Amino acid sequence: MIPIAKPFLGEEEAKAAHDTVLSGWVTQGPKVAAFEEQFVEYTRAHHAVAVSSCTTALHLALIAAGVKHGDEVICPSMSFIATANSIVYAGATPVFAEVNDEYNLDVEDVRNRITSKTKAIILVHQVGMPGDIDAFTALCSEKGLALVEDAACAIGCSYKGRKIGSHSPLVAFSLHPRKVITTGDGGMVTTNNEEMAARMKLLRQHGMSVTDRERFASNKPVFEQYVEVGYNYRLTDIQASIGIEQMKKLDTIVEMRRAIAHRYNAELADIPGLKLPIEREGYTSNYQSYSILLGDTVQVDRDELIQMMMDEGVATKRGIMASHREPAYSGSHANCSLPRTEKLCDRSILIPLFTQMTDEEVSTVIAAFKKCLGA
Ligand SMILES: *Cc1c(COP(=O)(O)O)cnc(C)c1O
């Protein structure tokens, strides 16, 4: 069976983790600091704050953006459920908005959902296709809202010539194995705002005023204070040492993924009724996933297609979920009308795309897909 995704990890990562285990410093310490520095260099943001996941990254980003109990935050329903959950963790209410053809937030629909309670917007760069950051930056400044980018899937992507991570005040990344690079689990927030970076660094470590490294480096006793109620959202040095090796490979990884996507684009183009991913001018995707929308003229049912592909030895998956239809939100959001999201959700399919995929595997996927669609 050809899997839908696979992490791209090698001896370099294994050795780095091995060395860190034996170094005596295993949780947040020098490796985390070095990994953050590498993220700053790569994205050209001013600061990077490593945390335990993208979910916790989003939670801290929302707090840093000033989101509080009773506020509303607009986000797409069509996203992994952690986007909405992070809003609830911050005490606020997610307000779901519609998406466009690239599965990214529709700026006009978002505008219509802004109320006096709206505090922030989470723009998700869905499956590694950047959203229109400039349009949302303009809307947020017009309405006095904070913008948070959910770049869980978007490390290595670019928007208008610059890497995702440097455009807006708060950008959250995931390092889960289903994403483009991984530390097992992990996350990162990049920001150009020094105060926000400091607050998030405080909050990820119980609100503690002195870091372990500072205490370790001091030759006098250091007594810390707990400045506010914080969290344990630390990334470990073991994870960070893996991340450092992954970052060295990132540009190669993105190149390899793009080559596979380009083959899919070329060889699936002649099947009628399919909508393949579109990379607009100024948008560069890392193809975290390859999502195909089955148009109305395609007779086959999406869920049946998944079964048929499985019978051909190829794993596929439903496209991105719709959070408002999950039991966690369907009760509280019963009046939510998102016909476009629901249609995209029911008619899209993800096909295998992973960095080390061979030409032969790509050919197998293409042949199976053509066969199942009778093309
Ligand atoms: C995967 C994902 C997350 C959650 O990332 P974790 O690191 O697993 O917490 C959040 N948002 C989106 C859009 C995702 O795809």
Side-chain angles (χ1 to χ4, degrees), residues 3 9 44 80 92-93 109 218 265 315 322 330 350:
L9 293 163
R44 308 245 162 238
F80 182 60
T93 304
D109 189 76
S218 172
N265 288 345
S330 57
L350 306 183

Side-chain angles (χ1 to χ4, degrees), residues 59-200:
H59 183 195
L60 294 191
L62 289 169
I63 296 173
V67 171
K68 293 193 173 64
H69 187 81
D71 291 339
E72 291 177 356
V73 177
I74 302 176
C75 70
S77 166
M78 191 172 204
S79 181
F80 182 60
I81 199 149
T83 307
N85 288 351
S86 70
I87 297 169
V88 177
Y89 300 164
T93 304
V95 172
F96 296 125
E98 277 288 22
V99 290
N100 61 21
D101 274 353
E102 283 91 43
Y103 312 99
N104 280 325
L105 266 187
D106 180 312
V107 70
E108 284 316 310
D109 189 76
V110 168
R111 176 185 288 279
N112 291 335
R113 293 177 201 261
I114 295 172
T115 71
S116 59
K117 289 186 177 171
T118 308
K119 180 80 193 191
I121 296 170
I122 300 183
L123 174 62
V124 181
H125 303 302
Q126 209 52 262
V127 297
M129 190 61 78
D132 191 352
I133 300 169
D134 284 351
F136 283 93
T137 301
L139 179 64
C140 286
S141 78
E142 180 194 327
K143 301 286 184 184
L145 307 176
L147 180 63
V148 173
E149 290 174 53
D150 180 343
C153 303
I155 183 70
C157 300
S158 309
Y159 173 77
K160 299 192 179 171
R162 275 159 54 205
K163 291 272 158 38
I164 294 292
S166 65
H167 299 86
S168 61
L170 291 156
V171 187
F173 296 92
S174 174
L175 300 163
H176 181 273
R178 181 66 184 85
K179 317 299 181 183
V180 168
I181 58 167
T182 185
T183 57
D185 250 313
M188 188 76 76
V189 188
T190 56
T191 177
N192 291 334
N193 183 306
E194 194 174 347
E195 251 171 71
M196 287 181 179
R199 177 112 191 269
M200 291 187 287

Side-chain angles (χ1 to χ4, degrees), residues 3-50:
I4 185 102
K6 243 190 224 180
F8 186 65
L9 293 163
E11 287 298 332
E12 299 80 4
E13 286 82 358
K15 173 158 193 320
H18 170 270
D19 292 350
T20 301
V21 166
L22 296 180
S23 76
W25 199 311
V26 288
T27 194
Q28 184 183 292
K31 293 292 181 192
V32 165
F35 187 36
E36 289 171 337
E37 195 44 49
Q38 213 182 4
F39 242 83
V40 163
E41 269 169 39
Y42 187 84
T43 60
R44 308 245 162 238
H46 297 176
H47 308 274
V49 180

Side-chain angles (χ1 to χ4, degrees), residues 258-281:
R258 289 178 59 76
I260 297 164
H262 291 156
R263 255 199 86 190
Y264 282 151
N265 288 345
E267 294 181 45
L268 299 175
D270 54 350
I271 304 179
L274 299 187
K275 200 180 155 296
L276 306 177
I278 296 170
E279 212 177 37
R280 286 186 286 152
E281 181 72 33

